[in-house]
Amino acid sequence: MNMLKLTLPLLLVGSSAMAEPPTEREKAMAATAAFGKALKAELVSAMQSGGPLTAIEVCHLEAPAIAKSVSIEHGMKVARVASRNRNPGNAPNEWQAEVLAGFEARIEDGEDAAGLTWQETAVLDGGKEYRFMKAIPTDGVCLACHGISIDPAVARKIGELYPGDKATGFTQGELRGAFVVTKKL
């Protein structure tokens, strides 16, 4: 019995000492999950309380604030990009556009958009930067504002807020864009 009492604490100490800190990828996955969950909750609530017109306002006003909050909380810059973007501020830069094109090719090869991720550590003039992207498939809640058939009042509101909108005509499951996480190392 004494042997068990001595062994058990040693095993517990040993097992906790072996725990690895989370990798940059794990941190990025957690950050994108937090952003996606918070944004979707706001959009679903807006759709339930006021429909697509209210949801457009959430995307327009709340999404940037959610991204900023999640970025601060996770110590990484979190954003969204899309080739067919609604907000010009969400247009991809060169490396992000390449990743989005790679996601499209992987989908054409039969991969599910929901599971697509990519990462690299880039060497820049000022040091290194961790980069991560996770595909955003078009969900059912997105179709009222991003789908093929959009209510005329919704289309007018989108046109007012986003005159250069390119983010319509999507079907459920199609690649809508991607979450992007960057962190200076």
Side-chain angles (χ1 to χ4, degrees):
M1 188 83 136
N2 285 342
M3 179 83 134
L4 181 60
K5 286 182 181 177
L6 291 176
T7 304
L8 186 57
L10 289 176
L11 287 175
L12 291 176
V13 169
S15 66
S16 65
M18 293 180 356
E20 296 286 326
T23 64
E24 294 302 326
R25 177 182 175 76
E26 291 167 336
K27 292 176 193 175
M29 289 289 288
T32 59
F35 183 29
K37 181 179 178 181
L39 181 58
K40 187 172 183 177
E42 289 291 326
L43 289 172
V44 167
S45 176
M47 288 292 284
Q48 290 171 347
S49 69
L53 291 172
T54 304
I56 293 167
E57 291 294 332
V58 166
C59 260
H60 184 68
L61 300 172
E62 298 299 322
I66 293 168
K68 184 176 182 176
S69 173
V70 170
S71 295
I72 291 167
E73 180 183 340
H74 289 266
M76 307 174 119
K77 183 179 179 199
V78 182
R80 293 176 300 162
V81 296
S83 298
R84 291 167 47 196
N85 57 302
R86 175 156 287 162
N87 180 339
N90 293 347
N93 63 26
E94 187 177 332
W95 67 264
Q96 294 163 350
E98 288 176 16
V99 174
L100 287 169
F103 283 169
E104 289 286 0
R106 290 169 63 186
I107 291 167
E108 286 177 20
D109 287 342
E111 289 189 61
D112 181 6
L116 298 178
T117 62
W118 171 93
Q119 69 177 348
E120 77 170 4
T121 300
V123 178
L124 308 173
D125 290 337
K128 292 182 180 181
E129 178 180 70
Y130 176 74
R131 298 172 173 175
F132 175 86
M133 288 179 65
K134 180 176 184 335
I136 303 172
T138 304
D139 197 354
V141 73
C142 307
L143 295 176
C145 300
H146 294 282
I148 295 168
S149 264
I150 299 175
D151 180 272
V154 172
R156 276 192 302 279
K157 185 66 172 179
I158 290 169
E160 288 171 21
L161 295 174
Y162 305 102
D165 178 45
K166 299 180 268 183
T168 57
F170 289 92
T171 58
Q172 188 157 347
E174 188 176 2
L175 182 66
R176 171 67 197 92
F179 293 112
V180 177
V181 176
T182 55
K183 180 181 177 183
K184 299 284 185 206
L185 300 175

